[in-house]
Amino acid sequence: MTFVYLILAIVAEVIATSALKASAGFTRPLPSLLVVGGYAVAFYLLSLVLRTLPVGVTYAIWAGLGIVLVTLVGIVVFGEKPDLPAVLGITLIVTGVVTLQVFSKMNVH
């Protein structure tokens, strides 16, 4: 269940971060509620994940996948266009997360 919680935490964080942009500085009520609720769910689920996985590995996966998914939301929903350096940087982050998962012995207690 640990990785299910982690994936759900990442999804909640991506929803909250996307809603943060849509909240227009917390001036729009519905997106503002999504921000608060999404982050609350994300951090609760993350706390469950940290019972099993080390904080460094957890945060690397959280941040790496979050960056990729938020970037995709930015492209699809907000019409943002990442340039080549952005794509290369995101690729390096994903490579780092995959390296941790595949080669590190640090991924479980």
Side-chain angles (χ1 to χ4, degrees):
M1 285 301 293
T2 298
F3 283 100
V4 172
Y5 291 151
L6 182 55
I7 294 300
L8 292 174
I10 293 167
V11 169
E13 187 263 337
V14 168
I15 290 169
T17 301
S18 302
L20 187 59
K21 179 167 176 102
S23 76
F26 289 101
T27 60
R28 298 180 59 215
L30 182 58
S32 298
L33 287 173
L34 281 173
V35 171
V36 174
Y39 281 128
V41 168
F43 286 120
Y44 172 72
L45 291 169
L46 191 62
S47 75
L48 299 179
V49 172
L50 291 173
R51 291 178 178 172
T52 306
L53 293 180
V55 69
V57 171
T58 300
Y59 194 72
I61 296 168
W62 162 282
L65 292 179
I67 288 168
V68 170
L69 293 174
V70 167
T71 301
L72 291 175
V73 169
I75 292 167
V76 173
V77 176
F78 300 113
E80 299 172 352
K81 307 232 183 304
D83 58 8
L84 182 60
V87 172
L88 291 174
I90 291 167
T91 302
L92 289 171
I93 291 167
V94 171
T95 302
V97 170
V98 170
T99 299
L100 273 173
Q101 282 301 309
V102 174
F103 299 109
S104 176
K105 294 186 181 3
M106 188 178 160
N107 61 357
V108 292
H109 284 222

